[in-house]
């Protein structure tokens, strides 16, 4: 069964996962459990520091600085408590990713295009998280502002499991889960971990099977088979 070579994203993330991301996620799991056992009160800040270190390792000091600047700008604009300004800020920050001069400058930071694309993907997803935090900051009253500090924003933005690809979790839900204190149970934690690994393995195998059987991306990049197929076949 020959693999479809045209699925760029799957090949790209599998390569990054094998090289570094999988190991960094394992590191996050270790830091999370150790901080939960020893310093549960400071767990969000331990995970924030770990996420920042992982970002620095993968994207370099300049990539880390860009994400930090984006977060600081979003937080500063959120102080006006106007949702429209927050949306405009997010759109402007996203648009800077497509300015040719800025693109060229960022590409010079890295030895390979893959490293640049990792920064690009990460910045795009981080923009969603900055937008979520800023909007909820605008919507909440003065009494809740203390729980929406810049430090909490950094803990949210640099939370590593959702760092490169998401999924998006709004800030209120993230904060609620981080503040929740639960009794440590090795049995329940182990069962959650094993079930999670089984789920990931199942979906990974299914995705690999589709790439080796269906050739969706190869068909997209070749017009002639699509033109010869009937509308029913295409549907």
């Amino acid at each position: 069964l020959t693999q479809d070579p045209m699925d760029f994203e799957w090949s790209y993330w599998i390569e990054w996962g094998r090289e570094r991301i999988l190991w960094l996620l394992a590191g996050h799991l270790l830091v999370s459990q150790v901080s939960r056992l020893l310093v549960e009160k400071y767990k969000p800040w331990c995970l924030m520091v770990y996420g920042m270190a992982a970002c620095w390792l993968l994207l370099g000091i300049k990539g880390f600085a860009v994400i930090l600047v984006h977060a600081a700008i979003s937080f500063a604009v959120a102080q006006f408590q106007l949702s429209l300004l927050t949306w405009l800020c997010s759109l402007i920050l996203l648009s800077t990713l497509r300015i040719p001069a800025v693109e060229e400058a960022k590409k010079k930071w890295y030895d390979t295009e893959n490293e640049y694309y990792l920064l690009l993907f990460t910045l795009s997803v981080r923009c969603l998280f900055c937008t979520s935090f800023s909007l909820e900051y605008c919507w909440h009253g003065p009494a809740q502002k203390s729980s929406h500090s810049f430090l909490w924003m950094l803990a949210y933005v640099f939370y590593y499991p959702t760092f490169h690809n998401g999924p998006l979790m709004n800030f209120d839900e993230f904060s609620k889960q981080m503040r929740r204190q639960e009794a440590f149970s090795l049995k329940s934690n182990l069962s959650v971990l094993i079930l999670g690994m089984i789920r990931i393995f199942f979906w990974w195998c299914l995705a690999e099977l589709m790439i080796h059987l269906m050739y969706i991306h190869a068909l997209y990049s070749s017009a002639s088979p699509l033109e010869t197929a009937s509308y029913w076949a295409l549907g």
Side-chain angles (χ1 to χ4, degrees), residues 29 190-204:
L29 181 65
L190 200 60
S191 63
V192 168
L193 178 64
I194 291 168
L195 284 171
M197 288 172 70
I198 290 169
R199 282 179 60 199
I200 291 168
F201 182 71
F202 171 76
W203 290 113
W204 178 75

Side-chain angles (χ1 to χ4, degrees), residues 36-95:
R36 184 180 177 183
L37 277 172
L38 302 178
V39 284
E40 188 168 9
K41 185 180 177 182
Y42 302 104
K43 181 182 172 182
W45 319 127
C46 294
L47 295 179
M48 178 189 76
V49 171
Y50 180 83
M52 287 178 161
C55 173
W56 194 320
L57 178 68
L58 279 178
L59 302 174
I61 180 64
K62 292 178 180 176
F64 169 75
V66 170
I67 293 172
L68 202 58
V69 167
H70 276 215
I73 292 171
S74 294
F75 185 78
V77 171
Q79 302 308 302
F80 293 100
Q81 297 184 40
L82 294 171
S83 299
L84 181 60
L85 272 183
T86 289
W87 282 115
L88 284 173
C89 174
S90 298
L91 289 171
I92 290 167
L93 289 174
L94 270 180
S95 68

Side-chain angles (χ1 to χ4, degrees), residues 44-45 47-49 51-52 64 67-69 71-72 75 126 133 149-159 163 171 174:
W45 319 127
L47 295 179
M48 178 189 76
V49 171
M52 287 178 161
F64 169 75
I67 293 172
L68 202 58
V69 167
F75 185 78
R126 291 308 92 203
F133 179 91
S149 64
F150 185 59
L151 202 60
W152 267 106
M153 184 184 193
L154 292 181
Y156 176 56
V157 168
F158 285 98
Y159 183 69
F163 193 67
F171 176 73
F174 171 82

Side-chain angles (χ1 to χ4, degrees), residues 131-162:
T131 306
S132 171
F133 179 91
S134 300
L135 286 174
E136 288 175 35
Y137 186 92
C138 295
W139 296 335
H140 289 309
Q144 295 166 296
K145 288 289 187 280
S146 60
S147 62
H148 287 69
S149 64
F150 185 59
L151 202 60
W152 267 106
M153 184 184 193
L154 292 181
Y156 176 56
V157 168
F158 285 98
Y159 183 69
Y160 194 71
T162 61

Side-chain angles (χ1 to χ4, degrees), residues 145-225:
K145 288 289 187 280
S146 60
S147 62
H148 287 69
S149 64
F150 185 59
L151 202 60
W152 267 106
M153 184 184 193
L154 292 181
Y156 176 56
V157 168
F158 285 98
Y159 183 69
Y160 194 71
T162 61
F163 193 67
H164 301 292
N165 278 326
L168 179 65
M169 174 191 283
N170 66 47
F171 176 73
D172 280 358
E173 183 61 31
F174 171 82
S175 174
K176 187 168 69 178
Q177 289 192 28
M178 276 294 177
R179 292 173 194 274
R180 187 189 302 146
Q181 294 190 353
E182 297 172 358
F184 181 80
S185 168
L186 182 63
K187 186 179 178 182
S188 64
N189 280 19
L190 200 60
S191 63
V192 168
L193 178 64
I194 291 168
L195 284 171
M197 288 172 70
I198 290 169
R199 282 179 60 199
I200 291 168
F201 182 71
F202 171 76
W203 290 113
W204 178 75
C205 287
L206 183 63
E208 279 285 347
L209 191 64
M210 288 169 69
I211 289 167
H212 284 81
L213 287 176
M214 299 180 75
Y215 307 104
I216 296 164
H217 293 81
L219 282 168
Y220 283 161
S221 61
S222 179
S224 52

